[in-house]
Amino acid sequence: MTVPADVLVVGASAGGLAVAEALRRQGHRGGLTVLGAEPHPPYDRPPLSKQVLRGAWERERAHLRSAEQLGALEAEFILGDAAVRLDVAAREVLTASGRTLRADAVVLATGVTPCRLPGQDGLAGVHVLRTLDDALALREHLLAGPRLVVVGEGVLGAEVAASARGMGLDVTLAGLGPAVLADQLGDRIGGALTRLHAERGVGLRLGAAVRELTGSGGRVTGVRLATGELLPADAVVVAVGARPATGWLAGSGLRVDDGVVCDARCRAAPGVYAVGDVASWHHEGLGRRLRLENRTNAVEQAQVVAAGILGGDRPYVPVPYFWTDQYDVKIQAYGLPSAAAEVEVAEGDPEDGRFVALYREGGAVTGVLGWNMAKAARLRRPLVAGTMTLAAAPAVNVSTRA
Amino acid sequence: MNITVDADKCCGAGQCVLLAPDVFDQNEDDGIVVLLDATPPEALRAAVREAAEVCPAAAITVEERP
């Protein structure tokens, strides 16, 4: 194949930056443009719900690279201008300000957009948390009033609740699931996390649907649950998941189905690739399509996409990984731990607040989780890596090799 | 090459250890990076550069020096 002269990366967050850096490191000497909807240089999102929200970091500390490092990339960064249309055949992107950008290869790295609750818009004091500006606005608000209600018991909601407790706020966490992170990590670990939040003084309303946000004079006053209970609030954080930011691809002809549908090499069309939260690609190890919303996926996928643009031909077969920090607990999770798996403690002891747990489905290890035991968890990563990559080699009959 | 790490930024993902185990290690409990070799030999430098790029906390800085 022909190596493209010019590459356009749509999205200037972790995934977009990583594609640009990997292209240069892997030898791309041609044109390189990075288009970002936000006005900020590339910054890191995981600290937004923790260090930035708590005020432990100044905002600049969340920047992923210094101005010098960005300059050394010799890429043109166009920031504060969103992509609004893609012409796949011409590999041409139209932006909100009216620019037309054309390239030989286009990388879609537009991430996700937070879901909102009905009635949320136009009600002051109700926040989502996705961007740096979101985090700073929420922090301002938390400093102004003592009662926070977090809607959503996933990673983001739990981290916001923990950070707000650390700031001394009165926090209630309401969510549909039976336990904190039960959807992601199952009842056993979810139960331990629920106890952790209860011990730290978070009011918990789990298995609870939200009926409505209540307000007065355009400001939020509380969250009404389906049970009728009213949780009074000075501020509300809505952390009920996110959707791939693919609205701008409508009419492009690209297949969009919970993300940009890609092949095993993260290609959506000839010369068009997707990376990060927005990409739904075929994981050859699992034999199915997968979309991951986690930080390490964005940069790992970027390595494969950059190589592919430069003529490489390797599938993207990662071992998924995410971490979450809540209070003094650091959780690391490899593979795909799920609520359906059997969970077994392999090392350490939950009573001591440090352990490694294995997730098994059908006898195979599908996930490894460390609870304040990061290194030991990483050392068991090969257990799940074996499961996810052996399936990629159909010529080998795994069951007869033992 | 001279490597510095920011333990305060590090999130304990261990990506650097997977890429360059002779240069990086982790603390047992919190998984925070431990720098084993701040001036690694040529053969390890490509892996170190990749580790710095993929670090999910941007906690690794590589200064290229002749």
Side-chain angles (χ1 to χ4, degrees):
Chain A
M1 72 177 263
T2 318
V3 172
D6 295 301
V7 180
L8 169 64
V9 182
V10 185
S13 192
L17 173 68
V19 171
E21 289 187 335
L23 280 168
R24 287 301 190 217
R25 189 165 43 76
Q26 293 176 26
H28 176 61
R29 294 287 162 261
L32 182 54
T33 303
V34 180
L35 176 70
E38 293 179 61
H40 309 293
Y43 63 85
D44 207 13
R45 296 191 198 277
L48 298 182
S49 53
K50 302 181 280 281
Q51 293 93 335
V52 174
L53 188 58
R54 291 198 307 267
W57 287 11
E58 291 299 318
R59 55 189 295 169
E60 287 74 21
R61 200 157 158 67
H63 289 171
L64 285 167
R65 299 291 181 262
S66 67
E68 294 73 34
Q69 286 171 320
L70 292 180
L73 260 184
E74 298 187 354
E76 184 187 2
F77 280 84
I78 301 173
L79 302 174
D81 196 6
V84 294
R85 204 167 71 213
L86 171 69
D87 181 329
V88 170
R91 288 186 293 277
E92 205 168 76
V93 168
L94 179 69
T95 76
S97 79
R99 284 187 177 92
T100 299
L101 304 168
R102 215 206 67 75
D104 303 301
V106 177
V107 180
L108 314 176
T110 45
V112 292
T113 309
C115 300
R116 290 166 182 271
L117 292 179
Q120 166 174 357
D121 295 325
L123 203 52
V126 186
H127 298 257
V128 293
L129 178 47
R130 173 69 185 170
T131 67
L132 181 56
D133 293 341
D134 290 342
L136 296 172
L138 175 60
R139 174 168 169 74
E140 278 295 293
H141 207 143
L142 294 186
L143 294 173
R147 296 169 305 174
L148 171 70
V149 174
V150 178
V151 180
E153 80 293 359
V155 173
L156 182 63
E159 288 188 350
V160 168
S163 294
R165 278 301 295 147
M167 296 168 70
L169 273 80
D170 174 353
V171 180
T172 305
L173 177 64
L176 281 173
V180 175
L181 264 73
D183 266 6
Q184 294 84 356
L185 299 176
D187 288 344
R188 183 162 175 190
I189 303 299
L193 275 167
T194 303
R195 286 190 293 279
L196 175 71
H197 281 270
E199 283 164 16
R200 303 304 167 103
V202 173
L204 293 157
R205 300 291 187 279
L206 295 162
V210 168
R211 181 185 299 163
E212 61 174 351
L213 298 165
T214 61
S216 169
R219 286 202 62 82
V220 73
T221 53
V223 175
R224 172 101 52 201
L225 302 179
T227 56
E229 184 183 8
L230 177 69
L231 305 170
D234 301 301
V236 174
V237 171
V238 175
V240 293
R243 303 234 184 284
T246 51
W248 69 286
L249 297 170
S252 68
L254 288 185
R255 194 174 150 220
V256 172
D257 175 14
D258 184 37
V260 177
V261 177
C262 298
D263 66 12
R265 282 143 182 83
C266 311
R267 285 178 305 218
V272 180
Y273 300 76
V275 92
D277 295 1
V278 79
S280 178
W281 88 102
H282 183 80
H283 189 300
E284 286 191 351
L286 295 167
R288 65 176 168 89
R289 208 144 55 76
L290 190 65
R291 186 176 71 80
L292 297 173
E293 287 178 18
N294 61 49
R295 177 64 174 79
T296 47
N297 177 61
V299 283
E300 281 186 69
Q301 196 165 22
Q303 311 307 308
V304 171
V305 165
I309 291 170
L310 299 177
D313 183 34
R314 76 184 150 110
Y316 180 51
V317 194
V319 175
Y321 165 80
F322 78 90
W323 81 93
T324 174
D325 299 342
Q326 297 172 31
Y327 312 102
D328 49 1
V329 173
K330 282 178 173 289
I331 289 176
Q332 322 273 335
Y334 296 94
L336 294 171
S338 88
E342 287 175 39
V343 178
E344 161 210 352
V345 172
E347 194 175 342
D349 187 344
E351 293 295 313
D352 299 337
R354 54 191 305 271
F355 62 95
V356 176
L358 301 182
Y359 287 71
R360 284 181 206 276
E361 287 180 73
V365 177
T366 51
V368 175
L369 178 135
W371 179 297
N372 282 344
M373 238 177 154
K375 184 171 175 179
R378 180 188 40 85
L379 291 173
R380 288 180 190 266
R381 178 184 180 274
L383 292 175
V384 62
T387 307
M388 298 185 78
T389 49
L390 276 177
V396 179
N397 187 335
V398 180
S399 61
T400 59
R401 289 174 85 210
Chain B
M1 170 181 278
N2 188 49
I3 307 168
T4 49
V5 295
D6 185 339
D8 181 44
K9 273 192 164 183
C10 176
C11 62
Q15 302 290 107
C16 54
V17 190
L18 293 170
L19 284 162
D22 294 327
V23 178
F24 303 102
D25 196 3
Q26 287 177 283
N27 281 332
E28 296 289 336
D29 287 4
D30 56 12
I32 298 302
V33 62
V34 175
L35 185 58
L36 301 175
D37 184 355
T39 55
E42 182 62 41
L44 300 178
R45 290 180 192 169
V48 168
R49 287 182 196 108
E50 183 170 354
E53 280 184 24
V54 306
C55 172
I60 301 168
T61 305
V62 174
E63 202 185 334
E64 302 283 354
R65 286 201 299 229

